[in-house]
Amino acid sequence: MRKAKFYKLSIIMSALILSLTACSSGDKDTNTNKVESNQISDGKDDTKKEDELVTDDLTKDQTSDSVTEVEITDYHGTVVVPVNPERVVVLDSRSFDTLAAWEIKLAAAPKAVMPADSPYVADEEVQDIGNHREPNLEIIAALDPELVIIGQRFGGFYDDIKALVPNAVVIDLNFDVSETAENPGQNLVDGFINSTIALGKIFDKNEEAAQLIVEFEKAIADAKAAYNGTDKMISVIVSGGNIGYSAPKSGRVWGPIADLLGWVSALDVDNSSSDHQGDDISIEAIAQSNPDWIFVLDRDASVSTTTDAVPAQDVIDNSPALQNIEAVKEGKIVYAPKDTYTNESIQTYKEIFEIIASSLSK
């Protein structure tokens, strides 16, 4: 049923983009100052309702010159946000790729927890907030921003930042894929769709947002179709030369994916978590579970301050205990993009789903 929804939604998105392009030269509504946003279905409503919500979100009063603010739904509720705001501070690792692709200027960002090749890291005009453990929030106050976008690592600073910049609009694009989430896989999908729609409205990039969602949904559908439903999977995080457990359901990156794609787990670990280094697990336990596939997140590959980094592939290849399991013998090991740990954007997950589809289809 979900697969059908994805295909149906993709068709609607594609039609929508064509419609938007055709309408861009026509008359625009000059009497509307706000664009209302509906939150994406949580999966409990029927297909018709879900499709109508997405279509409604992306077609209301698009790009009207008179639209100066929009309503979006963030983690805390409905928020009125200025369109194309100046002095924007972004603290959400899931948003940087999208905003960079749309060439949105930023006033400040947490460069310490961003991919080194991000254009915002190299831009000296973008001030550095630091990392989420010791952020310099006073920089935000000094900038007097119109908009602050937080999420993921900085979600816990929501109240502090709102108090610090009372004249700014503060939105939280976080979504819950932790060990306490009931449906982490669906939360991942809905969270990315919601945040992409919201960013498209705020920065007047509705067509771009719609296209990105179409591509994301197609990648998920392809990954679902590529899985045979029986192969046993295990997912791990490699950090500091150690292997941590990362699935099913709650693990960092791979957990929600395993939940969404319905993978059969080769090994279940009690009290598993979404810890950034994975849960403690022995190499012997992995070997005994004899998975058909191993999915790997190399945490250290994207953390430039890590001095004892050992490439994840070296850790896997040089572990004697793993050499006789089916996944290693048959080369069925899938690695997430190297910058995934600091770049958990919709683009990154789209790439991960594409890699999964390609790998499982061989």
Side-chain angles (χ1 to χ4, degrees), residues 17-30:
I17 294 168
L18 294 174
S19 174
L20 289 172
T21 303
C23 294
S24 61
S25 60
D27 294 334
K28 296 178 180 179
D29 182 1
T30 58

Side-chain angles (χ1 to χ4, degrees), residues 152-170:
Q152 206 178 21
R153 293 175 176 86
F154 284 84
F157 293 97
Y158 178 78
D159 291 332
D160 294 334
I161 292 173
K162 286 200 71 169
L164 193 63
V165 285
N167 295 324
V169 175
V170 180

Side-chain angles (χ1 to χ4, degrees), residues 102-160:
W102 296 347
E103 298 183 344
I104 305 301
K105 294 187 65 176
L106 302 185
K111 296 185 179 183
V113 286
M114 296 171 65
D117 61 354
S118 169
Y120 297 125
V121 172
D123 189 344
E124 294 182 356
E125 293 185 3
V126 179
Q127 297 195 42
D128 186 8
I129 303 297
N131 65 42
H132 55 294
R133 301 190 187 283
E134 296 180 352
N136 188 347
L137 299 182
E138 294 302 322
I139 289 177
I140 300 176
L143 288 170
D144 188 26
E146 280 191 79
L147 175 65
V148 180
I149 301 174
I150 67 173
Q152 206 178 21
R153 293 175 176 86
F154 284 84
F157 293 97
Y158 178 78
D159 291 332
D160 294 334

Side-chain angles (χ1 to χ4, degrees), residues 82-85 88 90 99 102 104-106 147 149 198-206:
V83 173
N84 288 322
V88 179
V90 180
L99 297 179
W102 296 347
I104 305 301
K105 294 187 65 176
L106 302 185
L147 175 65
I149 301 174
L199 292 174
K201 288 183 174 183
I202 293 167
F203 296 103
D204 199 11
K205 297 290 184 179
N206 296 289

Side-chain angles (χ1 to χ4, degrees), residues 6 154 196-197 200-201 242 258 286:
F6 287 137
F154 284 84
T196 302
I197 289 173
K201 288 183 174 183
N242 298 314
I286 295 176

Side-chain angles (χ1 to χ4, degrees), residues 75 94 152-153 174-189 191 246-260 271-276 279 344 349:
Y75 192 71
R94 294 177 174 131
Q152 206 178 21
R153 293 175 176 86
N174 200 21
F175 46 86
D176 187 11
V177 291
S178 70
E179 57 269 28
T180 61
E182 183 177 349
N183 298 297
Q186 193 59 46
N187 287 358
L188 180 81
V189 176
S246 180
K249 289 194 71 172
S250 62
R252 187 70 175 262
V253 176
W254 297 114
I257 291 176
D259 178 55
L260 180 67
N271 300 316
S272 59
S273 73
S274 54
D275 185 83
H276 64 119
D279 297 316
E344 293 184 52
Y349 275 85

